[in-house]
């Protein structure tokens, strides 16, 4: 068993204390402390991967294991290709260079997040860091060009940029909807399954707000989140979507931002985007 160093112990304790402090803070003050928590989490991940190889580009630092030396430039190319369209879409550039960590296999990635063998993801954003599964795993099912076009970088980098701009002031479903929307805009990619048609029954706004990550049909929950964001851009224009993001940045809740930006209640917004989605993103669309 690897011994835990003093620095790692200090970082864990710092994260725990900051998280406890944020929990007791009301409203906007949480946004002032959140960057400290994110920075501590980022420092911890950077330190834990200190022995990995590193590749630096104009906007990214990519850490990887030696078996991935032959694909690190592929990740670098995909990251740099994503940088401009994502930062333009969110009208924000994160400070410094973004850290990307490549894990060689699902087992290594699952170990970091404490996931069971049945859980997996090709990419994850957490604590100021993008973490992805090695393209070697991806390239079993797609070409290098397809990885650049439809790999996880655009989606996860959108999470990061949005998180930095708003300092964590958003519900989970909205950041997933926004990441999918930018991915759709940049790459034309949509996650479609047999069960996530928006022509039938859908989850309520309360379910999305309170239980997004534990809803039984995750593909439906994700597609609903995409529809809710696409509705704003389609019906009100992308300027209004950016304005809503600006409201979140200023400290408004999503409910307040919807009312201020779109001029409707949160309940009316939920009804409106569902009606729009049934027509524009329903079965076969």
């Amino acid at each position: 068993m690897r011994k835990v160093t003093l620095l790692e112990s200090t970082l864990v304790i710092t994260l725990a204390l900051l998280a406890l402090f944020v929990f007791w803070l009301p409203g906007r003050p949480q946004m002032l402390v959140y960057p400290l928590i994110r920075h501590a989490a980022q420092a911890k991940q950077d330190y834990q991967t200190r022995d990995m190889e590193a590749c630096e580009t104009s906007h990214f630092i990519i850490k990887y294991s030696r078996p991935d030396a032959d694909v690190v430039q592929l990740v670098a190319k995909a990251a740099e290709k994503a940088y401009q369209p994502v930062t333009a879409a969110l009208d924000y550039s994160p400070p410094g260079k973004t850290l990307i960590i490549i894990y060689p296999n699902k087992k290594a990635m699952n170990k970091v997040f404490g996931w069971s063998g049945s859980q997996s993801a090709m990419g994850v954003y957490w604590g100021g860091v993008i973490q992805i599964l090695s393209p070697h795993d991806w390239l079993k099912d797609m070409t290098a060009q397809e990885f650049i076009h439809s790999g996880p970088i655009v989606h996860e980098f959108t999470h990061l940029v949005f998180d930095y701009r708003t300092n964590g002031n958003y519900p989970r479903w909205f950041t997933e909807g926004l990441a999918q929307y930018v991915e759709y805009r940049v790459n034309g990619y949509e996650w479609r399954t047999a069960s996530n048609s928006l022509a039938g029954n859908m989850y309520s706004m309360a379910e999305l707000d309170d239980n997004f990550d534990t809803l039984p049909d995750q593909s439906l929950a994700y597609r609903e989140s995409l529809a809710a964001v696409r509705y704003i851009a389609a019906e009100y224009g992308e300027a209004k979507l950016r304005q809503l993001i600006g409201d979140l940045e200023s400290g408004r809740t999503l409910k307040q931002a919807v009312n201020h930006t779109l001029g409707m209640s949160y309940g009316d917004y939920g009804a409106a985007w569902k009606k729009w989605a049934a027509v524009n993103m329903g079965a076969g669309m």
Side-chain angles (χ1 to χ4, degrees), residues 39-136:
H39 181 73
Q42 183 184 45
K44 179 176 183 288
Q45 294 173 87
D46 190 23
Y47 181 77
Q48 289 178 329
T49 56
R50 64 193 179 280
D51 294 328
M52 298 180 80
E53 306 289 333
C55 170
E56 193 163 341
T57 71
S58 298
H59 301 102
F60 299 88
I61 296 172
I62 304 167
K63 291 192 172 185
Y64 61 97
S65 303
R66 287 184 180 179
D68 288 317
D70 61 331
V71 293
V72 68
Q73 290 302 322
L74 176 62
V75 174
K77 184 176 180 180
E80 286 297 335
K81 187 176 178 63
Y83 186 86
Q84 192 281 328
V86 173
T87 55
L90 274 68
D91 197 22
Y92 183 85
S93 299
K97 294 189 177 184
T98 294
L99 177 60
I100 299 176
I101 301 172
I102 305 174
Y103 291 100
N105 51 56
K106 290 180 180 178
K107 183 178 179 181
M109 192 167 183
N110 286 5
K111 183 178 179 181
V112 171
F113 293 99
W115 291 341
S116 67
S118 61
Q119 293 175 289
S120 65
M122 293 299 182
V124 176
Y125 166 73
W126 182 78
V129 179
I130 293 171
Q131 303 175 75
I132 66 169
L133 187 61
S134 169
H136 280 303

Side-chain angles (χ1 to χ4, degrees), residues 133-144:
L133 187 61
S134 169
H136 280 303
D137 198 271
W138 283 78
L139 296 177
K140 296 173 184 176
D141 301 312
M142 64 174 64
T143 66

Side-chain angles (χ1 to χ4, degrees), residues 7-273:
L7 177 57
E8 287 177 303
S9 298
T10 302
L11 284 170
V12 170
I13 293 170
T14 300
L15 281 170
L17 290 174
L18 284 172
L20 184 62
F21 182 48
V22 166
F23 178 80
W24 289 106
L25 281 174
R28 184 169 170 77
Q30 293 186 19
M31 296 174 63
L32 303 178
V33 179
Y34 182 83
L36 301 177
I37 297 176
R38 182 177 55 215
H39 181 73
Q42 183 184 45
K44 179 176 183 288
Q45 294 173 87
D46 190 23
Y47 181 77
Q48 289 178 329
T49 56
R50 64 193 179 280
D51 294 328
M52 298 180 80
E53 306 289 333
C55 170
E56 193 163 341
T57 71
S58 298
H59 301 102
F60 299 88
I61 296 172
I62 304 167
K63 291 192 172 185
Y64 61 97
S65 303
R66 287 184 180 179
D68 288 317
D70 61 331
V71 293
V72 68
Q73 290 302 322
L74 176 62
V75 174
K77 184 176 180 180
E80 286 297 335
K81 187 176 178 63
Y83 186 86
Q84 192 281 328
V86 173
T87 55
L90 274 68
D91 197 22
Y92 183 85
S93 299
K97 294 189 177 184
T98 294
L99 177 60
I100 299 176
I101 301 172
I102 305 174
Y103 291 100
N105 51 56
K106 290 180 180 178
K107 183 178 179 181
M109 192 167 183
N110 286 5
K111 183 178 179 181
V112 171
F113 293 99
W115 291 341
S116 67
S118 61
Q119 293 175 289
S120 65
M122 293 299 182
V124 176
Y125 166 73
W126 182 78
V129 179
I130 293 171
Q131 303 175 75
I132 66 169
L133 187 61
S134 169
H136 280 303
D137 198 271
W138 283 78
L139 296 177
K140 296 173 184 176
D141 301 312
M142 64 174 64
T143 66
Q145 190 57 39
E146 286 172 332
F147 174 82
I148 293 173
H149 178 74
S150 56
I153 301 296
V154 169
H155 186 100
E156 303 307 333
F157 187 51
T158 299
H159 280 315
L160 182 143
V161 175
F162 181 57
D163 187 55
Y164 269 87
R165 180 170 178 185
T166 61
N167 283 327
N169 183 36
Y170 51 81
R172 268 280 297 141
W173 73 261
F174 189 84
T175 185
E176 288 299 346
L178 183 65
Q180 289 178 92
Y181 175 68
V182 175
E183 192 174 21
Y184 170 75
R185 265 192 51 188
V186 174
N187 294 328
Y189 175 77
E190 295 180 76
W191 182 22
R192 301 298 303 272
T193 70
S195 67
N196 73 355
S197 168
L198 300 181
N201 292 330
M202 290 187 255
Y203 291 118
S204 68
M205 291 299 290
E207 288 173 311
L208 293 178
D209 283 332
D210 299 336
N211 304 300
F212 181 77
D213 287 314
T214 58
L215 293 172
D217 190 340
Q218 282 290 286
S219 68
L220 177 59
Y222 269 69
R223 189 147 179 82
E224 284 191 42
S225 70
L226 168 61
V229 174
R230 272 183 64 180
Y231 162 77
I232 298 172
E235 293 298 302
Y236 293 87
E238 293 197 345
K240 280 292 186 181
L241 178 58
R242 287 191 292 270
Q243 182 183 335
L244 188 146
I245 293 171
D247 277 359
L248 296 175
E249 180 183 17
S250 71
R252 285 189 170 97
T253 65
L254 181 60
K255 292 180 180 180
Q256 292 169 338
V258 164
N259 182 260
H260 178 252
T261 303
L262 306 183
M264 65 172 70
S265 70
Y266 195 62
D268 287 345
Y269 163 64
W273 73 252

